[in-house]
């Protein structure tokens, strides 16, 4: 297996940010181990150095702000998880999105014989 096949090579900084976001969302609920903390710190370090520099070279100000947002979310994740609490949320669009949405139930409104606005949902 060639090294080019083994490692992911992003095309630009946004591609790298998407990949890190996808990886973060995969391991955010995993049990905390030293290996996971090291892996997480490596990703945060990549964001701070390589990807931040690439975004600055591409002259995209909004991407630099998105990287800073990602770094804030990822450092907060580590603090919350090290304190022993669950991290209720995920990263979407390079920002934190809360997972506290209530479940929605499908409901078909069906007029059953009768007049007016009397509606009944059939289960």
């Amino acid at each position: 297996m060639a090294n080019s096949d083994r490692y992911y090579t992003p095309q630009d900084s946004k591609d790298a940010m998407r990949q890190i976001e996808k990886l973060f969302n995969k391991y955010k609920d995993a049990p905390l181990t030293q290996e996971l903390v090291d892996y997480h710190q490596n990703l945060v370090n990549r964001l701070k150095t390589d990807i931040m520099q690439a975004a600055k070279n591409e002259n995209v100000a909004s991407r630099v702000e998105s990287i800073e947002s990602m770094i804030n979310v990822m450092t907060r994740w580590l603090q919350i998880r090290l304190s022993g609490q669950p991290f209720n949320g995920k990263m979407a669009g390079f920002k934190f999105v809360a997972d506290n949405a209530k479940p929605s139930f499908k409901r078909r409104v069906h007029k059953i014989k009768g007049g007016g606005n009397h509606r009944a949902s059939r289960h």
Side-chain angles (χ1 to χ4, degrees):
M1 176 190 290
N3 272 349
S4 61
D5 296 336
R6 182 171 176 187
Y7 298 108
Y8 175 75
T9 308
Q11 303 302 319
D12 59 354
S13 62
K14 188 170 187 176
D15 195 22
M17 289 165 59
R18 274 195 209 111
Q19 186 67 22
I20 289 180
E21 180 181 75
K22 191 185 319 177
L23 291 170
F24 174 77
N25 285 331
K26 280 185 182 178
Y27 71 74
K28 69 179 178 64
D29 294 325
L32 209 56
T33 61
Q34 186 59 44
E35 290 83 14
L36 181 62
V37 172
D38 292 342
Y39 181 74
H40 178 77
Q41 292 290 54
N42 185 19
L43 289 180
V44 172
N45 190 31
R46 292 276 178 200
L47 278 172
K48 288 180 180 177
T49 56
D50 303 341
I51 300 171
M52 182 70 84
Q53 187 61 41
K56 287 179 181 175
N57 290 343
E58 293 168 4
N59 291 327
V60 182
S62 62
R63 202 167 293 167
V64 173
E65 292 172 13
S66 296
I67 291 173
E68 291 171 355
S69 171
M70 285 180 74
I71 292 170
N72 290 337
V73 169
M74 292 175 82
T75 53
R76 196 164 22 119
W77 173 85
L78 189 59
Q79 292 170 349
I80 290 171
R81 290 301 307 270
L82 286 175
S83 69
Q85 298 176 349
F87 183 76
N88 294 327
K90 64 179 183 176
M91 198 182 307
F94 313 123
K95 293 184 173 86
F96 173 76
V97 177
D99 270 350
N100 59 2
K102 295 179 181 175
S104 61
F105 298 98
K106 291 184 179 179
R107 182 177 64 92
R108 286 193 184 140
V109 177
H110 180 76
K111 284 192 203 175
I112 301 177
K113 299 179 214 172
N117 293 325
H118 299 289
R119 298 177 188 272
S121 62
R122 300 173 102 172
H123 299 285

